[in-house]
Amino acid sequence: MTEDPDTLDETPTDPAASKPRRRLLKLLRRSDAPLDVYELAAATGLHITTVRFHLDVLARAGQITAQKTPRATPGRPRTVYAARTEEASPDGYRPLAALLAANLGPTPRARRRRAEKAGRDWATSLIPATNTANPDETARRIVALFTEMNFDPELADPAPGTAERQIRLRACPYRDVARDHPEVVCAIHLGLLQGALTQLGEPPTTVRLVPFVKPHLCLAYLTPDHAGTDAPRPAPSTSLTGA
């Protein structure tokens, strides 16, 4: 049963609080190209009129953009929608963040080292110390943390043989500054991942973060060290690829 747009609140406090709007926003964030209302209706099973209503709410809230594109065949231009992941910052957040990032240390290496430590320290304030001792539960807890931080994470199945877990981060809210200063922003997130593992009591694990494999996608990897053996376990290691 589809929702009747006439019965929906046109001025919601949180535009993304509605389940259909959350589904539409997730589809748009995960798509490599803008989508039109027909594609979104087919993907969600919602009526086209209902999809248009929810898209209008999201657009008015500034969470998505709409633009006209010419058709390959005669006819009116298509309206396609994309998630807005780089919102304007009238409060000067980005220039201030970029200034702080650039002055965190005299060299990229020093900035990265300090940023990783800041990320590890940050984790202690976000995650209570526990002992999950379960890699799957640990990965789910980390995904929950990055969900709260609006990264739109997705957890992939464990890799055969290594039990490596891949977490796809599709909507970094700090992307603009991260592009200019990956040695700071991405290193903070790398430290946050490592700190989260420590707080959750996870056995030593290699953490890798690969920024911008696509314009809107970063990949994090959690690989257990010596999983399933009695070999001595080295201290957890970290790696930031491409920064």
Side-chain angles (χ1 to χ4, degrees):
M1 179 176 179
T2 59
E3 298 176 65
D4 180 359
D6 293 333
T7 67
L8 300 174
D9 181 6
E10 295 193 12
T11 56
T13 303
D14 179 2
S18 157
K19 184 176 179 179
R21 287 194 283 275
R22 288 199 305 270
R23 290 173 64 193
L24 290 168
L25 197 53
K26 180 175 288 189
L27 284 169
L28 292 172
R29 282 175 173 169
R30 295 186 175 183
S31 175
D32 292 331
L35 302 174
D36 66 21
V37 66
Y38 299 98
E39 292 167 321
L40 290 166
T44 59
L46 297 172
H47 191 276
I48 289 174
T49 301
T50 303
V51 171
R52 283 200 176 102
F53 170 83
H54 289 303
L55 291 172
D56 182 59
V57 173
L58 291 170
R60 285 189 282 114
Q63 296 196 17
I64 64 172
T65 61
Q67 61 181 14
K68 302 287 186 181
T69 61
R71 293 181 180 273
T73 57
R76 298 171 61 184
R78 293 169 63 226
T79 300
V80 294
Y81 301 86
R84 184 190 296 274
T85 53
E86 299 180 9
E87 299 177 359
S89 52
D91 58 355
Y93 143 72
R94 288 195 183 100
L96 176 60
L99 177 65
L100 293 172
N103 288 276
L104 191 60
T107 65
R109 183 176 180 179
R111 291 193 289 271
R112 174 178 169 176
R113 184 175 63 251
R114 293 174 183 176
E116 284 189 28
K117 183 182 183 302
R120 290 192 294 271
D121 292 343
W122 191 15
T124 64
S125 68
L126 296 176
I127 302 177
T130 59
N131 186 7
T132 60
N134 182 317
D136 291 336
E137 177 61 22
T138 295
R140 286 192 290 268
R141 293 281 299 274
I142 290 176
V143 166
L145 171 65
F146 277 83
T147 298
E148 292 177 2
M149 297 173 66
N150 298 316
F151 279 80
D152 188 23
E154 179 185 8
L155 180 62
D157 292 333
T162 65
E164 180 177 76
R165 305 304 301 263
Q166 181 194 82
I167 302 175
R168 300 162 187 159
L169 306 172
R170 300 179 179 274
C172 175
Y174 312 101
R175 184 167 53 249
D176 277 0
V177 182
R179 285 198 182 103
D180 294 334
H181 300 282
E183 79 284 2
V184 173
V185 179
C186 300
I188 287 175
H189 297 145
L190 177 64
L192 179 60
L193 284 164
Q194 186 60 59
L197 291 175
T198 300
Q199 290 297 103
L200 293 170
E202 180 70 2
T205 299
T206 297
V207 181
R208 290 188 295 126
L209 181 61
V210 186
F212 305 121
V213 294
K214 292 184 179 180
H216 301 286
L217 177 65
C218 301
L219 299 177
Y221 295 92
L222 312 177
T223 309
D225 293 341
H226 300 290
T229 74
D230 294 327
R233 296 176 184 270
S237 60
T238 60
S239 174
L240 183 60
T241 304

